[in-house]
Amino acid sequence: MKLCVHCNTGFEISDEDRLFLDFLSPVIGGKRFPLPEPTLCPDCREQRRLAQANQLHLYKRKCGFSGKDIISNYHPSSPFKVYDQEVWYTDSWDALEFGREYDFRRPFFDQYRDLSYAVPRPSLHRGFQYDENAAYTNYAGKNKNCYLIFDSDEDWDSYFSYSLNNSKNCMDTFRVEKSELCYECIDSLNLYHAAYVQDSENCADSYFLKSCIGCRNCLYSVNLRNKTYHIWNKPASKEAYEEEVKKLESYSYIHEMENKFREFARGFPQKYLHGTHNENVFGEYVNHSKNSFSSFDSRHLWDTRYIFQAFNPLKNSMDCQECGDGEGLYECAFSGYNAFNLYFSVHCLGETSNSFYSNHCPHSSNLFGCIGLRHKKYCILNKQYSEKEYEELVPRIIEHMMSTGEWGEFFPMELSSFAYNETLAEEYFPLSKEEILKRGLKWQDDQEPDLSGVTKKIDARRLPENISDIPDDILNWAIECEESGKLFRIQKAELEFYRKMNLPIPRFHFLVRHEKRRIMRNPRKLWSRTCMKCEKDIVTSYSPERPEKVYCEECYLHAVG
């Protein structure tokens, strides 16, 4: 048992962990450098990686190269140089100009910090070359007519969503794929014209479903398989279904039924884990994977440990956050796309290999402590070396880092380019402003909203109940969120969507809605308990104190028929 140096919690380093560390240990200049055992528990390691990314907060600011107005996830007050993506990915500037000698009298992370303030960053992380009318998106690509979608690819006419993929005309969703005309749906696949649906697939023209497959024209139902016209899990006439759907045009009625349905769903058995087509997988929301331990929100994993939100196949990797299409990655975040042998690096997307402690370095190899390099190799702190010089100097640097206790550690949270409360770490490991500042981390106050063109400010609780009573002029209103008090506005395409779906205007700011969806999912934690039907031992994401009936897979499949 080890004690986490950050939170002082005890945690185990298993023999399997040690085998992985041994297997992943790099060889440089003919010398092998063992990876030390982690000093942080798995939670604190995840928190440290999450603190490196701001996905959800976008700002208006100036491009540091051209001076033109741009959209960025860097706040205007950020001390970092920020270039518009279309400039950053050109030859208009050269990151090698910021190169410097390694100083063996100073810790590595201090030198990296100095370099980080000098090298420009891209304004966003999106596939702008493939996007059309998708300027307000981030960590996303190949989208058309989309607004405020994040960690999302290949979507059309979609808004206010997270991890939405290959979908059209969707709004306010969380991890939805291959769907169309969906609203407030979570962890679902192949939906059409659906709202308030969770953990379901191949369903259409339905509302308030949980864990349903192949259903059509169903309401308030759980664990159904291939049913039509069901309400509260019982057969119903077409007329009864249509009459009940008509009531869902009222915001108050939806809110009432939301609470009622949540209580109703608790009475049905729940499968101990969410995931399909797995072999020897220990994790939650994992699909099509084999030999993966303590991994979450991922697919196509093979021989991995402690992986979170892998977006494409990942092999022989450990301690990674949002990485994919790679092999041999260790303590990396937001990296992949044909990446190999990558260590302690972040935002290295696109054929990066054999590199260490690097940031925003696509299509490069054999880098150490570099930022913003493209199509480069054999560089240290952005300074160019020959292959021979690189392989002689890097071992010396690693030995120096061993003496300072830095080798084997991911970037400290203090080195993040973003304020803690802007990052994904705030979602999964929330801290108060006082705690953030006490830890020496950055805090970012809310930016004043753009109220240009606003003709009216209204408390969300005073909005009309039905979409039919909403005037076109709402596009010029500033709406005050019921919960956070933040102001938000309705977009034209958004209003058209609500009218098409006969849904009321939301009462909460996008970030509040996003958080409400996120906490409806099971946490990234596992507990040992027994099946409530056969009493077999199971490991589940349902904590022992939760009220749901939790069944092992065999008992669950028998229960749903």
Side-chain angles (χ1 to χ4, degrees):
M1 179 73 71
K2 296 186 68 170
L3 285 180
C4 174
V5 300
H6 184 254
C7 70
N8 211 35
T9 299
F11 70 102
E12 295 282 351
I13 302 291
S14 68
D15 290 340
E16 289 81 3
D17 291 338
R18 294 186 179 95
L19 286 172
F20 255 76
L21 292 170
D22 182 68
F23 173 76
L24 292 170
S25 293
V27 176
I28 306 166
K31 184 175 181 180
R32 185 172 177 275
F33 290 91
L35 292 170
E37 293 183 0
T39 60
L40 301 185
C41 68
D43 281 353
C44 288
R45 301 199 302 266
E46 183 195 5
Q47 180 187 25
R48 187 169 57 177
R49 293 189 298 270
L50 285 172
Q52 296 294 325
N54 169 18
Q55 290 189 342
L56 298 173
H57 301 268
L58 302 183
Y59 310 101
K60 292 182 179 179
R61 60 170 295 158
K62 299 288 186 181
C63 170
F65 184 87
S66 66
K68 78 171 187 178
D69 293 331
I70 59 172
I71 305 301
S72 176
N73 61 337
Y74 289 86
H75 191 274
S77 65
S78 170
F80 297 96
K81 293 181 182 178
V82 179
Y83 287 0
D84 179 38
Q85 275 188 297
E86 296 185 24
V87 172
W88 196 89
Y89 284 98
T90 68
D91 295 329
S92 300
W93 67 288
D94 186 358
L96 286 177
E97 294 178 359
F98 304 95
R100 68 248 352 244
E101 295 276 353
Y102 191 86
D103 186 349
F104 287 93
R105 298 168 300 179
R106 302 175 61 202
F108 165 75
F109 286 132
D110 285 356
Q111 298 178 67
Y112 177 87
R113 177 188 286 109
D114 293 345
L115 180 65
S116 72
Y117 283 110
V119 183
R121 313 297 179 86
S123 55
L124 289 169
H125 303 280
R126 67 179 184 87
F128 67 93
Q129 308 96 322
Y130 311 103
D131 287 348
E132 182 178 340
N133 189 28
Y136 286 84
T137 64
N138 197 22
Y139 289 77
K142 298 183 179 180
N143 296 305
K144 181 178 180 180
N145 301 331
C146 292
Y147 181 79
L148 293 188
I149 65 170
F150 306 92
D151 186 45
S152 302
D153 297 298
E154 300 184 83
D155 301 306
W156 281 33
D157 303 307
S158 296
Y159 319 89
F160 304 108
S161 294
Y162 189 84
S163 285
L164 176 70
N165 292 283
N166 301 105
S167 297
K168 297 180 180 179
N169 295 108
C170 290
M171 178 92 69
D172 278 316
T173 63
F174 197 119
R175 295 192 75 83
V176 167
E177 187 175 0
K178 297 178 181 177
S179 297
E180 186 173 354
L181 282 174
C182 293
Y183 180 71
E184 285 289 359
C185 293
I186 303 170
D187 288 302
S188 295
L189 172 70
N190 288 329
L191 303 182
Y192 178 80
H193 193 256
Y196 312 103
V197 172
Q198 185 172 7
D199 300 325
S200 299
E201 59 181 284
N202 298 325
C203 296
D205 301 311
S206 297
Y207 303 79
F208 289 103
L209 301 183
K210 184 169 173 60
S211 304
C212 292
I213 298 176
C215 294
R216 190 178 184 91
N217 302 107
C218 291
L219 275 169
Y220 314 122
S221 294
V222 184
N223 289 344
L224 293 185
R225 298 294 184 267
N226 303 310
K227 301 295 185 182
T228 58
Y229 291 111
H230 274 59
I231 302 176
W232 302 111
N233 276 60
K234 295 180 180 179
S237 67
K238 178 182 178 182
E239 292 73 22
Y241 167 82
E242 291 176 347
E243 181 180 346
E244 191 62 34
V245 167
K246 183 70 176 174
K247 297 177 184 177
L248 294 177
E249 295 178 13
S250 163
Y251 178 83
S252 296
Y253 189 77
I254 289 175
H255 182 64
E256 177 187 344
M257 301 314 291
E258 215 169 11
N259 293 329
K260 186 176 179 180
F261 177 67
R262 191 173 291 120
E263 190 62 33
F264 175 76
R266 290 193 183 111
F268 289 81
Q270 296 298 312
K271 184 181 172 183
Y272 73 116
L273 288 173
H274 301 84
T276 59
H277 301 101
N278 294 323
E279 181 181 340
N280 190 30
V281 168
F282 185 82
E284 177 64 306
Y285 297 108
V286 178
N287 298 295
H288 306 284
S289 297
K290 182 178 180 179
N291 300 334
S292 184
F293 176 80
S294 197
S295 297
F296 300 85
D297 291 317
S298 298
R299 55 181 178 252
H300 303 296
L301 301 178
W302 194 298
D303 296 322
T304 59
R305 301 179 74 78
Y306 309 108
I307 305 296
F308 300 84
Q309 217 163 314
F311 50 82
N312 274 332
L314 191 64
K315 297 181 180 180
N316 299 317
S317 298
M318 178 170 166
D319 278 311
C320 291
Q321 197 77 37
E322 213 161 318
C323 294
D325 191 12
E327 185 170 356
L329 277 62
Y330 178 64
E331 276 286 14
C332 290
F334 314 100
S335 298
Y337 295 136
N338 205 26
F340 296 93
N341 302 330
L342 194 61
Y343 300 83
F344 319 110
S345 294
V346 61
H347 293 123
C348 288
L349 284 165
E351 299 179 344
T352 305
S353 62
N354 300 311
S355 296
F356 306 80
Y357 292 103
S358 292
N359 190 346
H360 291 104
C361 291
H363 306 286
S364 298
S365 66
N366 301 96
L367 306 179
F368 201 105
C370 292
I371 303 172
L373 296 183
R374 292 172 291 114
H375 301 283
K376 298 292 188 294
K377 58 183 178 179
Y378 302 119
C379 297
I380 301 170
L381 291 179
N382 282 40
K383 183 178 178 180
Q384 183 69 64
Y385 292 88
S386 69
E387 179 178 356
K388 183 175 183 295
E389 291 170 330
Y390 178 88
E391 293 193 346
E392 288 176 350
L393 184 54
V394 167
R396 291 181 58 205
I397 293 173
I398 293 177
E399 289 168 358
H400 174 246
M401 293 179 69
M402 288 179 178
S403 70
T404 61
E406 296 171 296
W407 173 246
E409 299 292 345
F410 187 71
F411 297 114
M413 290 192 289
E414 294 84 349
L415 290 185
S416 174
S417 302
F418 304 101
Y420 185 89
N421 61 314
E422 290 179 309
T423 70
L424 294 173
E426 175 67 11
E427 289 194 8
Y428 293 94
F429 304 93
L431 299 174
S432 67
K433 181 178 180 178
E434 292 71 23
E435 289 173 312
I436 290 170
L437 296 177
K438 184 179 180 180
R439 294 187 185 191
L441 307 177
K442 295 185 284 290
W443 168 271
Q444 181 61 60
D445 290 323
D446 289 337
Q447 190 177 36
E448 289 296 320
D450 181 7
L451 298 181
S452 57
V454 169
T455 59
K456 181 178 181 179
K457 179 179 174 182
I458 184 172
D459 188 317
R461 287 165 288 205
R462 293 180 50 227
L463 286 170
E465 283 281 316
N466 298 349
I467 189 66
S468 58
D469 295 324
I470 297 291
D472 292 343
D473 190 49
I474 195 174
L475 301 179
N476 301 319
W477 297 1
I479 303 172
E480 185 177 357
C481 171
E482 281 188 18
E483 184 170 306
S484 68
K486 292 182 178 180
L487 297 177
F488 66 96
R489 297 176 68 173
I490 301 298
Q491 305 295 312
K492 182 179 179 181
E494 181 185 2
L495 179 61
E496 292 171 354
F497 177 89
Y498 297 137
R499 286 173 170 169
K500 185 175 184 178
M501 295 282 286
N502 285 321
L503 292 167
I505 295 293
R507 267 55 171 176
F508 301 102
H509 186 277
F510 160 65
L511 292 175
V512 175
R513 304 195 309 262
H514 166 77
E515 180 62 10
K516 288 180 180 294
R517 287 188 291 274
R518 189 187 69 79
I519 62 177
M520 286 180 67
R521 309 174 74 239
N522 281 19
R524 291 175 171 178
K525 289 185 179 296
L526 299 171
W527 289 266
S528 295
R529 53 184 294 185
T530 58
C531 170
M532 296 176 71
K533 181 70 172 178
C534 71
E535 298 187 349
K536 181 173 72 175
D537 290 336
I538 55 175
V539 176
T540 175
S541 58
Y542 291 90
S543 62
E545 66 272 11
R546 285 181 60 166
E548 293 92 346
K549 297 178 182 177
V550 182
Y551 284 9
C552 68
E553 186 162 15
E554 291 78 8
C555 291
Y556 177 78
L557 292 176
H558 181 76
V560 301

